[in-house]
Amino acid sequence: MRSVLPIIVAFLSGFIMIASFFFNADRSFLGKLEEDLLTWVTIVGGFTLLLGVVSITRVNFNAVKQKKEDWFYKLLTLIAIYVMAVPAILPSSWSPLFGDEAGSIYDWLFTYVDTPMMGTMFAMLAFYIASAAYRAFRARNPEATLLLMTATLVMLWRIPMGEAFLREISIHLPDYINTFIMKGATMAVQRGIIIGAALGGASMSLRILLGIERTYMGKG
Amino acid sequence: MLRITKPLLTATLVVIALLADFQVALSAVPDSAFRTDRINALITIALFSTVILLYTRWARQGKDLFVRKIPGLDAVEEAVGRATEMGKPVLFVPGLQEIDDIETIAAISILGRVAKITATYDTPLMVPVRYPMVLAAGQEVVEQAFIEVGKSDMYNKDIVRYVAGEQFAFTATVNGMMMRDRPAANIYMGAFFAESLLLAETGNAAGSIQIAGTARPEQLPFFIAACDYTLMGEELYAASAYLSHEPLMLGGLKGQDLMKVVIIVVIIMGMLLMTFGVGESFMNWFKAV
């Protein structure tokens, strides 16, 4: 029963979602049921957030307690979580520093600490792209050389100065790159991968709905 | 066994053309609870389901189904073996999407297999996750893997841990884990976005053997550039069936291959019909699928 019940739940939930796709939400029972199910997903998701908080607290608290290597950073993580979360949960009627309105502790931390840090991480991507490109674009064999040449053309085409340079060689060169490389070869390959992935996803969904695939529950 | 013969293909295409006209006729029906404009999707789903069920049935009857080798999946055991020899952990990242994403479900299925291998060899495993629901599913799968290899006493709830809900906070934490713990093998499976290269390049710098798998074509070049093995698109979904070697699941893979053949034929047919200017109703059939 322990393994049969999840399969029945998976089948019914999946079947309702698929069937409701073919019915107007405002004119059918199935459409309304789909909306209810999606609301339940949000509610369950909200409750599981507590699991996340418990997990992150336990892992970091144990590391601090046992004075493991770099325990100080784990202590900072714990402080950051609770300094950010607790004032945001408290009602703003108690103090303007509570809640998530403008001027609250949460808002200040989000705007002046969280957002710049996220921006910094994203900006670092430029350096990672440079190092990956250096490794990928080495002309070791004919295929790699072709890749290097194509990549150079596309990169030149993507920047205004490069495009102006390409136009000096031939006025049609940027259009040829767009038509034959980007909308031609690249898009064809991407569509091939997308069709394959979509079929793979649909096939896996079907295996799950029919109870053939149970590896996502740790079985098989 | 069903063979793709010329009459079968011709019959399929005639049925598609007839259904195209049928769909146009149905669209004229006044508003009802049933979405008549989606009848083409319903027929496609029915056809796909029938094909998969047929192959699954043949698999159950013991028919031999050939599945090509996927080096990235064969490398999983090799990577865990390397980690065991070096006495270092294995890092598994199940993507950055919620559990309702099929890529995450595929990743969780592969995690079960990886957890079984690491549990067998007593190799430490680290699984950082971004969503609490993935945490719950991941913990369940890893615990089950430890039970199945008879090492339930070795299971630790913190193998699968929630690290951060923000995309780049998650990335920073995982990168930190790579540089501090120096895992011998990094396995990235599931849905990845801008952080794919941040993770893969850090893993590369840390000297780990890296295996990645995603269905997102825009992230594939980054993984190919920075990882040792990459599963592309459908290979990610095939992983659980491939690793389990279960005939029933392999049946699903073969059914998927037949559908691919049908799609290729339909694309070529549409291309030819449109080239000669007679494919309008044929194209209409696919518009809302």
Side-chain angles (χ1 to χ4, degrees), chain B residues 184-240:
Chain B
N186 298 334
I187 304 173
Y188 316 101
M189 296 284 166
F192 290 89
F193 305 93
E195 71 292 333
S196 61
L197 191 63
L198 292 173
L199 294 171
E201 270 295 288
T202 308
N204 192 294
S208 317
I209 183 169
Q210 302 202 97
I211 304 167
T214 185
R216 315 233 155 202
E218 63 275 22
Q219 303 306 329
L220 280 171
F222 298 129
F223 279 139
I224 291 169
C227 296
D228 299 279
Y229 298 94
T230 307
L231 304 179
M232 290 197 264
E234 63 191 313
E235 290 177 338
L236 172 71
Y237 302 116
S240 54

Side-chain angles (χ1 to χ4, degrees), chain A residues 21-22 24 48 70 131 135 213, chain B residues 32-33 35 38 132 201 240:
Chain A
F21 177 75
F22 299 101
N24 280 308
T48 54
D70 299 324
S131 67
R135 220 178 22 257
E213 167 108 39
Chain B
S32 66
R35 297 282 305 263
R38 288 181 173 173
E201 270 295 288
S240 54

Side-chain angles (χ1 to χ4, degrees), chain A residues 127-219:
Chain A
F127 300 104
Y128 284 86
I129 286 178
S131 67
Y134 175 73
R135 220 178 22 257
F137 297 153
R138 264 182 289 187
R140 286 162 299 189
N141 49 43
E143 290 90 345
T145 312
L146 191 66
L147 180 71
L148 170 67
M149 281 157 56
T150 317
T152 310
L153 278 175
V154 172
M155 284 190 286
L156 274 174
W157 168 67
R158 282 287 190 202
I159 53 169
M161 203 164 69
E163 192 182 340
F165 171 71
L166 291 174
R167 280 191 198 284
E168 286 298 314
I169 301 169
S170 163
I171 192 81
H172 301 296
L173 194 51
D175 295 332
Y176 287 154
I177 294 171
N178 191 22
T179 310
F180 295 109
I181 299 178
M182 300 309 289
K183 288 185 181 169
T186 308
M187 196 174 278
V189 171
Q190 284 212 354
R191 281 183 180 164
I193 293 172
I194 290 168
I195 290 172
L199 280 174
S203 164
M204 186 165 182
S205 308
L206 212 60
R207 292 201 303 264
I208 290 171
L209 286 187
L210 298 173
I212 298 167
E213 167 108 39
R214 285 175 291 170
T215 47
Y216 70 99
M217 295 189 293
K219 314 267 185 224

